[in-house]
Amino acid sequence: MTTITTQDGTEIFFKDWGPKDAQPIMFHHGWPLSSDDWDSQMLFFFNQGFRVVAHDRRGHGRSAQVDFGHDMDHYASDAAAVVAHLDLKNAVHIGHSTGGGEVAAYVARHGIPQGRVAKAVLVASVPPVMLDTERHPGGLPMAAFDGLRSALAANRAQFFREVADGPFYGFNRPGAEMKQAITDNWWRQGMMGSSLAHYLGIKAFSETDQTDDLKAMSVPTLVLQGDDDQVVPYKHAALLQAELLPDATTKIYPGFSHGMLTVNAETLNADLLAFIRG
């Protein structure tokens, strides 16, 4: 079976490759994508002998397009349901962007209390909170996220094309080489999901304050981000994460974009492997 049904009746799709007695690595994808965004990492770590697992968030990819539960609480509980179904132990959880918020929520609220987590990795991730707030000033204004909602509602297909062709991979930078297959694959993944899940997910990834989740992540945690991330500004993300996490190792990549896991996969995979085996 490649799906499970959660307690609230939502069907969640997942992949589970590799030896079942090997150390598991579970990957948590970004908005508005799917587990397919981890192809470069899943193939690499499968070939390194790990058990690799990834799921499609509710409303994304091949998971059910339900009209409820599009928030970090449900994202974390869905991940916990997959972990429990597969009985993953001593696992490394790696999250990108919104998936990093999901990792923080899962590890803090489910993984550590259940003793299932060995390490965590936050890659270009949204915690503690993207929005400019009194607790964490200096974030993005609400108008930025209202703009995302308006663009998505007006023409999701065009909006997703502009994100993929432009800031996500840094292809809008002078001298950047556009890689059309990469942006086509991003668009494909986004359009597989529910427009409602994507619309409501903007609130989840931008307004959820995960300060307490980060403080509760007592396992060794690797924080990775590029300093040319045009989607999640690293000074309000990776640098704050490093201050709040109890046991953080941080690496900022000069010139790398939000989509560095794909366009700089060779560098990222080597650093992830060194952390996991270290």
Side-chain angles (χ1 to χ4, degrees):
M1 295 293 292
T2 57
T3 63
I4 62 161
T5 301
T6 65
Q7 289 187 345
D8 66 11
T10 302
E11 188 174 81
I12 301 294
F13 170 87
F14 67 88
K15 305 174 185 180
D16 178 17
W17 304 342
K20 300 306 180 272
D21 59 348
Q23 184 177 21
I25 304 174
M26 185 165 173
F27 299 92
H28 305 248
H29 67 79
W31 177 96
L33 304 173
S34 73
S35 55
D36 293 353
D37 203 45
W38 290 106
D39 282 353
S40 296
Q41 285 68 46
M42 291 190 70
L43 290 169
F44 175 81
F45 284 100
F46 172 85
N47 286 326
Q48 295 291 328
F50 292 91
R51 180 181 184 180
V52 292
V53 175
H55 68 293
D56 291 354
R57 188 172 301 119
R58 63 172 58 207
H60 295 63
R62 288 140 293 204
S63 290
Q65 294 195 9
V66 295
D67 63 355
F68 58 91
H70 301 293
D71 53 67
M72 282 297 175
D73 291 343
H74 283 85
Y75 296 167
S77 64
D78 290 349
V82 174
V83 169
H85 175 75
L86 298 177
D87 194 25
L88 304 182
K89 298 175 181 176
N90 193 38
V92 179
H93 286 265
I94 303 178
H96 174 244
S97 197
T98 301
E102 182 176 287
V103 165
Y106 165 75
V107 170
R109 307 175 198 181
H110 302 276
I112 290 175
Q114 295 173 6
R116 291 183 177 271
V117 179
K119 294 180 179 180
V121 184
L122 304 179
V123 184
S125 295
V126 299
V129 61
M130 289 189 72
L131 186 67
D132 179 28
T133 65
E134 289 187 10
R135 193 178 194 184
H136 294 296
L140 297 172
M142 181 62 77
F145 303 108
D146 287 341
L148 298 181
R149 281 182 276 263
S150 295
L152 189 151
N155 189 334
R156 181 171 64 137
Q158 181 61 36
F159 172 53
F160 283 0
R161 175 61 67 197
E162 291 170 357
V163 172
D165 286 352
F168 197 91
Y169 297 107
F171 292 153
N172 57 342
R173 293 305 197 200
E177 178 187 354
M178 168 71 75
K179 297 182 179 179
Q180 194 65 54
I182 288 176
T183 63
D184 287 349
N185 189 45
W186 195 101
W187 187 89
R188 174 193 68 84
Q189 291 178 70
M191 294 305 293
M192 285 173 64
S194 158
S195 59
L196 180 62
H198 297 158
Y199 185 90
L200 297 177
I202 294 171
K203 179 180 177 67
F205 74 63
S206 64
E207 298 182 43
T208 307
D209 189 330
Q210 296 191 264
T211 301
D212 294 339
D213 289 333
L214 293 173
K215 289 180 177 179
M217 291 177 67
S218 55
V219 297
T221 303
L222 178 64
V223 175
L224 303 175
Q225 194 161 9
D227 71 0
D228 194 31
D229 190 326
Q230 300 173 65
V231 178
V232 179
Y234 80 99
K235 291 182 180 179
H236 201 69
L239 298 189
L240 289 182
Q241 293 159 21
E243 294 177 5
L244 294 165
L245 289 161
D247 185 1
T249 301
T250 305
K251 184 168 185 178
I252 306 298
Y253 298 91
F256 280 19
S257 68
H258 192 64
M260 61 185 183
L261 282 163
T262 299
V263 294
N264 305 106
E266 184 175 350
T267 298
L268 269 292
N269 289 348
D271 288 346
L272 291 169
L273 181 63
F275 173 73
I276 292 167
R277 288 185 169 168

